[in-house]
Amino acid sequence: MANVSVYNIEGNQVGEMELSDAVFGVEINEHLVHMAVVNHLAAKRQGTQSAKTRSEVSGGGKKPWRQKGTGHARQGSTRAPQWTGGGVVFAPKPRDYSFKLNKKEKRAALKSALTSRVVENKIIVLDAFNMDEIKTKKFKAVMDALKVSKALVVVGGDNKNVVLSARNIPSVKTASTATINVYDILKYDTLVITQDAVATITEVYA
């Protein structure tokens, strides 16, 4: 089991914590991690791109000129793809880009992502992270004390003040143990997580 230091919001070490190998010490499966990221990005795509094919463009019912004798190439419609104002060949249509990832694959990918943060020493465990008021400056002070800038902050329980205090900082994202995902874990340089969140994740995924 990996041992990590536990810090308070002032950035001082207050103890150590043992992480479960069942969640934070698994064999990293890069393929499943990649699939989880692709799945996340695909699900975010709107899929609303659309263009008209030659059958949907208005006009073009009449043959532009007779078949033979003009010296021009034969043409059947002014709405064929080679004409200005014509339809688009293989025009894109609205579609759903999302695909299914099995529950076991999702769990394995998340464990791999969490393990990678531990292996790369990019995880900071806090004893607690509570704020008595919504204050961006105070949240920024905590990040500065921990010496992190681009971070995913995972909190357990109801931490509304923490979430609202962080929303104006573009390089920081907050998440709960229920909304944590592989994409966000890998996107941000550092994973800042509270002790109670670690316990919850271990209980759910071990």
Side-chain angles (χ1 to χ4, degrees):
M1 290 187 176
N3 282 324
V4 293
S5 300
V6 178
Y7 298 87
N8 58 20
I9 57 175
E10 283 81 36
N12 301 317
Q13 185 176 342
V14 293
E16 284 193 346
M17 184 179 190
E18 207 172 61
L19 299 177
S20 171
D21 282 345
V23 179
F24 296 92
V26 301
E27 184 179 343
I28 298 174
N29 190 323
E30 291 184 5
H31 172 67
L32 285 182
V33 171
H34 174 259
M35 288 299 295
V37 171
V38 173
N39 178 265
H40 180 85
L41 294 175
K44 288 177 69 175
R45 293 184 69 173
Q46 285 184 311
T48 54
Q49 184 184 17
S50 184
K52 290 181 178 180
T53 62
R54 63 182 294 170
S55 65
E56 296 168 317
V57 179
S58 62
K62 183 185 176 184
K63 188 174 175 65
W65 50 76
R66 68 177 191 265
Q67 182 82 344
K68 293 177 178 292
T70 63
H72 295 297
R74 67 189 84 174
Q75 298 292 329
S77 169
T78 56
R79 291 299 175 257
Q82 71 271 21
W83 285 72
T84 300
V88 178
V89 182
F90 306 128
K93 292 296 176 186
R95 54 170 289 197
D96 179 13
Y97 287 91
S98 65
F99 61 93
K100 185 176 182 293
L101 205 62
N102 292 334
K103 190 182 289 186
K104 284 186 178 180
E105 291 176 325
K106 287 181 181 178
R107 291 170 69 94
L110 185 66
K111 290 179 184 180
S112 292
L114 291 170
T115 300
S116 72
R117 296 290 93 172
V118 176
V119 171
E120 295 167 9
N121 201 25
K122 291 182 177 179
I123 184 171
I124 295 176
V125 179
L126 296 178
D127 58 347
F129 195 174
N130 297 307
M131 296 181 69
D132 53 5
E133 61 177 335
I134 301 168
K135 201 76 174 176
T136 302
K137 185 183 282 187
K138 286 188 177 180
F139 187 96
K140 185 70 168 61
V142 174
M143 294 294 102
D144 291 340
L146 297 173
K147 296 178 181 177
V148 297
S149 54
K150 190 177 181 183
L152 174 67
V153 180
V154 182
V155 291
D158 183 21
N159 279 273
K160 186 178 179 182
N161 288 353
V162 173
V163 174
L164 294 177
S165 297
R167 64 182 173 177
N168 278 340
I169 305 176
S171 61
V172 172
K173 181 174 181 177
T174 56
S176 67
T177 53
T179 60
I180 190 172
N181 62 73
V182 174
Y183 177 77
D184 286 339
I185 293 172
L186 299 180
K187 179 182 177 182
Y188 294 89
D189 294 339
T190 309
L191 175 64
V192 179
I193 187 169
T194 58
Q195 272 187 304
D196 57 340
V198 171
T200 303
I201 289 173
T202 302
E203 185 181 332
V204 173
Y205 293 99

